[in-house]
Amino acid sequence: AIYSVEPRVVRGSNLFTADTIRVKSDRREMTGEGNVKSLLVEGDRPEDRQYRIKSNEMQFLGNENRALYQGDVELESEDLTVNAPELELFFTDSVGSQFDRVEASGGVVVVEGERRWTGKSAVYYRADERVVVRNN
């Protein structure tokens, strides 16, 4: 199925929008093209931590429990910002309700509070809110 008039996908507290959304339900896949925006919420309460992601494209692969964002990617939370050409989320389930880590690559900039790092890649571990930036 292809949706192109202000499409949006809502799953619990999570929201996904793009200029065009393509869904292949038999393969548990979804792609977004143009002006991609995702809102991922850790729980169901308004005060739960929220992650906002913007990119040019996104591909959700439910059978692999991951989503790949490409093109001018920005992940933002209350005290964390990650900018990279490519960002991959690894989910704890096949419906993409919660993720356990984020891997950014292609040259990254990570800002956490007053601290700023740059590197070739970075991994954010959600459970302990830890960021590892790599230059190799």
Side-chain angles (χ1 to χ4, degrees):
I2 300 173
Y3 305 95
S4 61
V5 178
E6 298 183 22
R8 63 182 54 228
V9 175
V10 178
R11 181 174 302 273
S13 298
N14 297 334
L15 172 66
F16 174 75
T17 65
D19 291 340
T20 302
I21 296 176
R22 300 174 192 273
V23 177
K24 296 179 183 176
S25 57
D26 60 327
R27 293 175 25 191
R28 302 180 53 84
E29 293 180 5
M30 179 177 70
T31 58
E33 301 165 357
N35 199 27
V36 173
K37 295 179 184 174
S38 296
L39 173 64
L40 304 174
V41 182
E42 285 189 345
D44 294 324
R45 300 173 307 179
E47 65 270 14
D48 290 334
R49 188 175 183 104
Q50 297 182 358
Y51 298 88
R52 291 165 298 286
I53 304 170
K54 298 177 189 174
S55 70
N56 297 331
E57 298 177 15
M58 188 282 295
Q59 184 176 19
F60 174 74
L61 303 166
N63 291 337
E64 299 177 24
N65 296 357
R66 66 186 182 99
L68 177 63
Y69 291 81
Q70 295 178 304
D72 296 323
V73 182
E74 178 181 81
L75 176 141
E76 184 180 63
S77 189
E78 54 198 49
D79 62 349
L80 174 72
T81 302
V82 178
N83 290 286
E86 190 169 285
L87 186 135
E88 194 165 8
L89 275 80
F90 294 87
F91 294 97
T92 58
D93 57 29
S94 64
V95 295
S97 60
Q98 295 292 321
F99 66 91
D100 63 351
R101 78 180 188 280
V102 174
E103 295 183 8
S105 60
V108 301
V109 176
V110 177
V111 178
E112 186 177 32
E114 298 296 318
R115 300 181 294 186
R116 183 178 194 269
W117 301 275
T118 59
K120 290 184 179 178
S121 64
V123 179
Y124 171 68
Y125 299 94
R126 187 186 61 77
D128 55 0
E129 297 181 7
R130 180 172 51 102
V131 179
V132 177
V133 178
R134 297 184 177 109
N135 284 309
N136 53 7

